[in-house]
Amino acid sequence: MEIKKGLEDVYVKETEITYIDGELGRLYYRGYSIYDLAEFSNFEETSYLILYGKLPNVYEYENFVKSLRESRGISDRVKEFLKGVKKNAYPMDVLRTAVSIMGLEENSHTYSVSEQSIINLISKFPTIISYYIRLRRDLEPVEPDTSLSHAANFLYMVNGTKPSEEECRAMDVAMILHIDHEMNASTFASLVVASTLSDIYSAIIAGISALKGPLHGGANYEALKMFREIGDVENVEKYILNRLANKQRIMGFGHRVYKTYDPRARILKSYAKLLAEKKGGEIRRLYEIAEKVEEIGIKYLGSKGIYPNVDFYSSIVFYALGFEPEFFPTVFASARVTGWIAHILEYVKDNKIIRPKAYYKGEIGRKYIPLDSR
Ligand code: COA
């Protein structure tokens, strides 16, 4: 009997969706290198690829894009909920509850996944998130614009102005890079739920709940908080040494699978740099701090195979694109929802309820003593 703590190195299913080479720092979606997808594709096309296993032809692509664009609107019930939520609620909790309302509206309580529920989940996440962002800023929510791409429309709904070409591209690439990542904690959580043949919304809510944690998708928020806390490039080395001496982690560093530089972080770094140069001010200052944290972090942790991960530079990219730090994990979720769905579809096709074991090491045969005699 061997217990694999954290299920490290345990395979729970075969997959044809995503392959990670953790030693060489390579990532492939359906066999395509992440570098090619980040250079040539967009969120919609890569989502199609992840879901259906092949790049769409023109007809399939246009149909998929059209369905996504036409399904962006959220119901009055979800809007009312968002209007009623307190302004300091944690955004991942708000997203989780809004998705729960979507599930209630569809009234699906056992497993069945229609094309429309797939489209609804992917297309409505940005609308829910931006609606709440605008309400928190005491601004009118912005209705989706069907003439814009998924990434451009997301930024438009958040900021109320049409984004520049560079901002659109940065958002599109960031979303591509977050779509899937093999058997991560949130994907596993959603599979556990789907394997019981519960409904897709419940499975996605499990994914959101797992992604929220600071060791997973919440790390982007923690990374930005850390850059702000450091405050100046001069303070980086002292701060990092202090943190390590106190057994605290460098947020946005380290990964269960990558033992080298995460390729997603490499790509995001180039966009963080570009946006820092364009926007200047606080964004540039935070980028410079991040670059220094990278250098010092690798100096002290690189020999243990601990390098920047996806959340390290995505934090700067999301911030530069107009998202408040607390919302970063929701942006991650809005892309990862595609990956959750793809893995659920793949797993349930040949379903077996996920039911591992726990090794009992307590006593047995204890004598029950009534309450008044204890
Ligand atoms: N900063 C400092 N030390 C770190 C570290 C980090 N970010 N990540 C891992 N380590 C160290 C641990 O302290 C441990 O050291 P030890 O063996 O001396 O005790 C060792 O590396 C292994 O860490 P462990 O937590 O067992 O690895 P894991 O595979 O279970 O955890 C993460 C992976 C991602 C949870 C972990 O690297 C982490 O907490 N990173 C920070 C949060 C983060 O960025 N998460 C986003 C992941 S995409």
Side-chain angles (χ1 to χ4, degrees):
M1 198 280 309
E2 188 193 3
I3 292 176
K4 293 269 196 174
K5 208 173 163 199
L7 300 184
E8 187 163 9
D9 293 329
V10 173
Y11 291 91
V12 295
K13 72 165 174 132
E14 290 181 334
T15 185
E16 292 179 6
I17 301 173
T18 292
Y19 174 65
I20 306 170
D21 183 330
E23 296 303 322
L24 295 177
R26 292 188 185 145
L27 172 62
Y28 301 86
Y29 289 168
R30 300 281 187 185
Y32 294 92
S33 161
I34 200 69
Y35 287 108
D36 286 344
L37 294 169
E39 189 169 351
F40 304 115
S41 188
N42 60 26
F43 175 78
E44 293 88 327
E45 187 185 59
T46 304
S47 286
Y48 188 99
L49 171 70
I50 288 279
L51 287 167
Y52 305 110
K54 65 176 196 94
L55 287 170
N57 61 30
V58 176
Y59 173 76
E60 290 161 336
Y61 176 74
E62 283 175 357
N63 263 342
F64 188 64
V65 167
K66 185 167 177 281
S67 313
L68 284 174
R69 288 184 187 205
E70 287 173 353
S71 304
R72 286 175 183 160
I74 51 176
S75 71
D76 288 344
R77 203 177 279 111
V78 173
K79 285 182 183 171
E80 284 314 309
F81 157 69
L82 294 170
K83 283 180 192 158
V85 164
K86 55 184 183 185
K87 294 235 171 81
N88 62 352
Y90 192 62
M92 282 294 261
D93 296 339
V94 175
L95 177 64
R96 188 192 60 213
T97 311
V99 174
S100 194
I101 296 171
M102 285 171 65
L104 268 178
E105 285 175 330
E106 204 168 289
N107 200 18
S108 60
H109 43 93
T110 54
Y111 185 80
S112 81
V113 188
S114 66
E115 280 303 308
Q116 192 55 47
S117 47
I118 295 175
I119 294 288
N120 281 346
L121 280 161
I122 299 172
S123 61
K124 293 186 201 309
F125 267 45
T127 318
I128 294 167
I129 297 161
S130 1
Y131 206 90
Y132 184 54
I133 288 179
R134 302 284 295 180
L135 291 169
R136 287 236 303 204
R137 293 179 188 165
D138 287 322
L139 294 170
E140 269 301 304
V142 175
E143 289 300 324
D145 181 337
T146 50
S147 72
L148 298 175
S149 72
H150 192 81
N153 174 63
F154 198 166
L155 295 180
Y156 168 64
M157 291 190 297
V158 167
N159 298 317
T161 49
K162 300 263 165 81
S164 70
E165 233 169 81
E166 272 148 354
E167 289 169 328
C168 285
R169 193 61 206 149
M171 185 66 180
D172 229 337
V173 171
M175 291 199 73
I176 290 172
L177 297 175
H178 284 83
I179 287 182
D180 192 49
H181 212 231
E182 200 231 57
M183 200 41 56
N184 53 89
S186 58
T187 299
F188 183 60
S190 68
L191 279 193
V192 170
V193 174
S195 82
T196 70
L197 300 185
S198 181
D199 68 285
I200 184 88
Y201 292 92
S202 299
I204 297 302
I205 290 162
I208 296 172
S209 308
L211 187 68
K212 175 184 161 188
L215 297 187
H216 190 7
N220 44 23
Y221 171 39
E222 300 295 330
L224 200 97
K225 275 205 289 194
M226 189 179 74
F227 303 148
R228 277 179 162 168
E229 223 170 270
I230 294 171
D232 194 286
V233 176
E234 295 295 306
N235 306 334
V236 170
E237 185 144 14
K238 193 166 160 231
Y239 178 95
I240 297 294
L241 285 174
N242 198 23
R243 210 169 159 110
L244 294 178
N246 289 320
K247 301 258 170 254
Q248 285 175 294
R249 296 185 172 209
I250 311 304
M251 300 315 279
F253 255 68
H255 198 272
R256 174 62 65 77
V257 185
Y258 294 116
K259 297 304 162 206
T260 182
Y261 211 114
D262 180 335
R264 300 167 301 170
R266 217 178 269 294
I267 300 169
L268 284 164
K269 182 179 180 181
S270 65
Y271 282 93
K273 185 167 193 239
L274 182 91
L275 292 167
E277 278 160 9
K278 284 268 160 204
K279 304 214 174 232
E282 192 197 2
I283 308 289
R284 188 200 292 261
R285 194 169 51 80
L286 290 171
Y287 175 79
E288 285 165 0
I289 292 170
E291 246 193 340
K292 192 71 183 171
V293 173
E294 176 190 331
E295 182 198 318
I296 302 297
I298 293 177
K299 179 170 149 191
Y300 292 105
L301 297 170
S303 59
K304 288 171 85 178
I306 299 170
Y307 287 86
N309 61 49
V310 67
D311 297 306
F312 193 75
Y313 284 110
S314 72
S315 64
I316 308 274
V317 171
F318 293 153
Y319 194 50
L321 293 175
F323 293 92
E324 287 87 354
E326 275 202 336
F327 281 87
F328 297 171
T330 64
V331 188
F332 189 154
S334 73
R336 183 58 56 87
V337 63
T338 301
W340 293 330
I341 296 169
H343 280 278
I344 289 167
L345 295 174
E346 188 182 61
Y347 187 84
V348 177
K349 239 186 349 198
D350 182 24
N351 191 52
K352 187 166 173 74
I353 187 169
I354 296 174
R355 202 294 185 198
K357 290 184 82 172
Y359 184 78
Y360 182 70
K361 51 178 242 179
E363 285 178 54
I364 49 170
R366 296 172 81 184
K367 187 170 161 37
Y368 180 82
I369 299 164
L371 184 58
D372 56 6
S373 311
R374 271 178 238 154

